[in-house]
Amino acid sequence: MGANPHANGGKLLVDLDMPDFTSYAIDVKKPATQYYGNTQQLGKLLRDIFVRNAKQHNFRLFSPDETNSNRLGDVFEVENRTFEEKTIPIDDHLSPYGRVMEVLSEHLCEGWLEGYLLTGRHGLFATYEAFAMIIDSMMIQHSKWLEGVISLPWREPIASLNILLTSTCWRNDHNGFKPSRPRTYRHCAFKKRYRSTYLFTARCQLPTFRRRPLFPQPKLCQPDCHR
């Protein structure tokens, strides 16, 4: 299986054509006079990533039925949810060719994303922090695999596994009483440096306000097996 070229995704990897994230900046003329969600501008950036990479078909968004509630719904201006069964007129953005993978199973979303990366593509998994802990063991196992392949010269680096945690435990709005715990972030933060090198298997970004979620994206989506 390891000798199968389809499983050595780094050899098949094509860099994403990324838009300039500064073009999505919000002009704040006066403090405390405008209201924007933290991820709304990120949704616009993801929409344009889909457009700019439509020819390569090498980017997908994974989410357990939360794309709209995570304010990433701008992607549906250009993309659809993947659905291979029969559709009816009242269905909302369903298509067998859709590149937004929505299913109410964090395990499936994480597994899909890992397989997608291992075959040479790029993706982002967006989920509520309350439920991200479900895939902690899968994420840790993936990081162990990354550490293991560093010493294999024939194994080319793959793209980073990107997870966006939303509706964090410090928020207490419409769903603030859910069992939120920052455990997934903790597992990432405590991943140690690999041996004596300066390569890390995990990098955590904590956007402090609405424009900051855009900043990590151009770097996170580039091929680097140590993110």
Side-chain angles (χ1 to χ4, degrees):
M1 290 175 63
N4 189 323
H6 298 288
N8 194 353
K11 288 189 173 182
L12 308 173
L13 195 64
V14 176
D15 288 356
L16 286 178
D17 180 5
M18 296 291 293
D20 179 8
F21 73 94
T22 61
S23 63
Y24 303 89
I26 298 170
D27 184 19
V28 180
K29 295 182 173 61
K30 186 178 179 181
T33 59
Q34 298 168 274
Y35 178 82
Y36 290 94
N38 297 72
T39 56
Q40 285 175 316
Q41 297 303 104
L42 177 59
K44 294 178 172 59
L45 182 141
L46 294 174
R47 172 199 63 197
D48 295 341
I49 290 176
F50 276 120
V51 172
R52 296 168 72 107
N53 296 275
K55 185 176 180 180
Q56 288 292 338
H57 293 289
N58 61 344
F59 180 77
R60 285 184 186 265
L61 175 62
F62 302 82
S63 179
D65 196 27
E66 296 161 1
T67 303
N68 281 323
S69 62
N70 284 329
R71 305 296 188 264
L72 302 175
D74 281 310
V75 298
F76 293 123
E77 294 179 11
V78 298
E79 267 300 341
N80 296 297
R81 300 175 177 89
T82 303
F83 190 76
E84 297 186 359
E85 299 297 327
K86 182 179 179 180
T87 60
I88 58 177
I90 62 173
D91 284 332
D92 182 19
H93 290 94
L94 300 184
S95 167
Y97 308 106
R99 308 196 68 77
V100 178
M101 310 290 287
E102 277 197 348
V103 63
L104 198 53
S105 169
E106 287 78 6
H107 291 108
L108 267 179
C109 289
E110 173 70 13
W112 278 340
L113 175 56
E114 290 183 16
Y116 202 59
L117 301 179
L118 290 170
T119 51
R121 279 77 67 86
H122 307 260
L124 172 69
F125 175 28
T127 184
Y128 290 172
E129 182 183 64
F131 310 118
M133 66 182 77
I134 297 173
I135 55 92
D136 284 356
S137 61
M138 299 175 68
M139 178 186 66
I140 292 170
Q141 192 63 34
H142 185 75
S143 70
K144 289 180 180 179
W145 183 86
L146 293 179
E147 290 180 346
V149 300
I150 288 175
S151 59
L152 300 177
W154 55 270
R155 171 70 66 174
E156 297 292 332
I158 61 171
S160 54
L161 190 152
N162 305 307
I163 301 176
L164 172 67
L165 300 181
T166 65
S167 194
T168 57
C169 69
W170 293 276
R171 292 192 56 161
N172 192 32
D173 46 17
H174 69 287
N175 58 357
F177 295 101
K178 63 189 182 306
S180 295
R181 293 170 61 191
R183 195 174 77 180
T184 301
Y185 171 80
R186 183 186 67 189
H187 286 319
C188 287
F190 283 91
K191 285 299 295 178
K192 295 181 179 179
R193 183 179 299 174
Y194 178 75
R195 295 178 185 172
S196 61
T197 68
Y198 289 93
L199 302 175
F200 289 80
T201 57
R203 293 175 185 169
C204 303
Q205 303 282 345
L206 296 174
T208 53
F209 59 99
R210 61 180 173 263
R211 288 180 289 183
R212 286 304 300 271
L214 302 177
F215 178 72
Q217 294 307 311
K219 196 158 193 169
L220 288 175
C221 289
Q222 295 307 308
D224 184 344
C225 73
H226 311 308
R227 293 201 181 102

